[in-house]
Amino acid sequence: MVVEVPDLDGETLVVTGGTSGIGKEIVLFASKTGADVIFSYHTNEKNAREIQENTGAVPYLLALGDTNSTRNFINLIKENFSSIDYFIANAGVELSGDLRKHNFEDISRIINANLTGNLYLLQSIITEGMMSHRGQISVIGSIAAAGNHDQLAYSASKSGLRGAIESLSRYDPIVKEQSLGVKLLEPAFVRTPMTERILKILERRVIPKRGGDELVKRFNDEKIVMDSTYAAQEILRLTLDTKVIGIRTIPEGINLHEIRETYF
């Protein structure tokens, strides 16, 4: 399928967590639009420099949840770009496992990065006037926000983002004054290096027991599972769409509990 590349010449787009998975695919796709693309990296500077060399996108260090790192990230953007037209908060961390793996330190790490870190980042770019008028902000959540098997802290962190985005998109006076579009985009299962192993188990062992090859085909055809390229293209499309506000799942209207009942 041929995907239309939007024309964003002269505009500025920022993506956090841009060196792997969905974030990397967003950077690669957005770099074809003519926009000035900035992306963050945390530990993989070598990969970030390779992406910069191949795309022209600009990498800045960001340790999500660290105040000083966030301030440095924000200041670098301010120093080098007049404003942000599109901001995609993609960076985050994941933790799966039963309750015995959820110790205090791990719970704090997940909440600090996925929730506290993202809220501080959003608060800063909005209150410091970094977004252009009618700019669009997308936060990448997860359908696991509704609660998921063995994802206590991760689900809680993504659920917290739902309340935050509803507060910003519906009620915040600064958001309204600047006519910003604020949205939470929640993909279903995305094939990334982090999820590939569990998706293979589901498709080869778990789902066939529930309905055979036909159910596996539905699982993929209905985009309950999608590759990171498709997810990135949908995220960019929805980010650019000024009519999309608040919470949107990818695919639209999908429900994790219904998925589990059908497939797992």
Side-chain angles (χ1 to χ4, degrees):
M1 182 179 67
V2 178
V3 177
E4 183 179 351
V5 178
D7 182 5
L8 302 180
D9 188 49
E11 299 188 283
T12 301
L13 185 147
V14 178
V15 185
T16 64
T19 57
S20 65
I22 298 172
K24 180 179 179 180
E25 293 297 330
I26 295 173
V27 172
L28 296 179
F29 188 54
S31 297
K32 301 175 183 178
T33 66
D36 292 321
V37 179
I38 303 105
F39 68 99
S40 78
Y41 68 94
H42 183 202
T43 58
N44 198 338
E45 182 175 2
K46 180 176 181 293
N47 196 15
R49 297 304 173 189
E50 289 175 355
I51 294 171
Q52 180 183 28
E53 183 177 342
N54 293 331
T55 66
V58 179
Y60 293 146
L61 177 66
L62 171 64
L64 192 63
D66 181 275
T67 307
N68 292 331
S69 179
T70 303
R71 288 310 320 167
N72 289 336
F73 178 72
I74 288 169
N75 289 337
L76 282 170
I77 296 175
K78 284 183 173 181
E79 291 167 8
N80 293 284
F81 299 90
S82 58
S83 63
I84 302 168
D85 298 290
Y86 307 102
F87 189 93
I88 303 176
N90 167 74
V93 292
E94 192 267 349
L95 174 66
S96 295
D98 66 26
L99 289 178
R100 286 165 291 192
K101 291 186 177 181
H102 283 70
N103 59 42
F104 181 84
E105 289 75 18
D106 285 334
I107 292 172
S108 299
R109 176 173 59 86
I110 298 298
I111 299 297
N112 184 53
N114 293 350
L115 186 56
T116 309
N118 272 313
L119 294 190
Y120 178 56
L121 192 55
L122 293 176
Q123 186 264 354
S124 299
I125 65 170
I126 292 172
T127 61
E128 295 176 30
M130 295 176 65
M131 297 297 300
S132 61
H133 188 70
R134 298 184 63 82
Q136 301 295 305
I137 299 172
S138 289
V139 180
I140 310 307
S142 169
I143 58 172
N148 196 21
H149 181 68
D150 283 347
Q151 289 192 316
L152 173 70
Y154 181 76
S155 291
S157 69
K158 295 298 185 179
S159 180
L161 289 175
R162 285 184 172 181
I165 297 308
E166 288 284 64
S167 297
L168 288 173
S169 63
R170 290 178 181 270
Y171 305 114
D172 191 84
I174 302 176
V175 169
K176 293 182 182 299
E177 179 184 342
Q178 299 179 22
S179 299
L180 301 178
V182 181
K183 56 204 85 179
L184 178 67
L185 305 179
E186 298 183 335
F189 299 100
V190 181
R191 292 189 191 280
T192 66
M194 183 174 65
T195 63
E196 187 65 27
R197 183 185 65 84
I198 186 62
L199 286 173
K200 284 182 178 179
I201 292 173
L202 291 175
E203 291 173 330
R204 294 177 182 178
R205 301 180 191 176
V206 179
I207 299 174
K209 294 179 181 178
R210 296 292 301 271
D213 293 340
E214 182 60 31
L215 201 58
V216 175
K217 185 175 184 301
R218 278 183 55 198
F219 187 66
N220 288 275
D221 289 349
E222 295 174 11
K223 299 299 184 186
I224 294 166
V225 60
M226 66 196 82
D227 61 41
S228 55
T229 300
Y230 175 83
Q233 292 168 352
E234 280 295 284
I235 286 167
L236 186 56
R237 180 182 68 82
L238 293 169
T239 299
L240 302 183
D241 190 343
T242 57
K243 295 179 181 178
V244 176
I245 300 294
I247 301 170
R248 173 73 71 89
T249 61
I250 305 174
E252 187 174 1
I254 200 166
N255 181 283
L256 177 59
H257 301 302
E258 292 176 358
I259 293 172
R260 296 194 66 88
E261 290 171 5
T262 302
Y263 295 95
F264 309 152

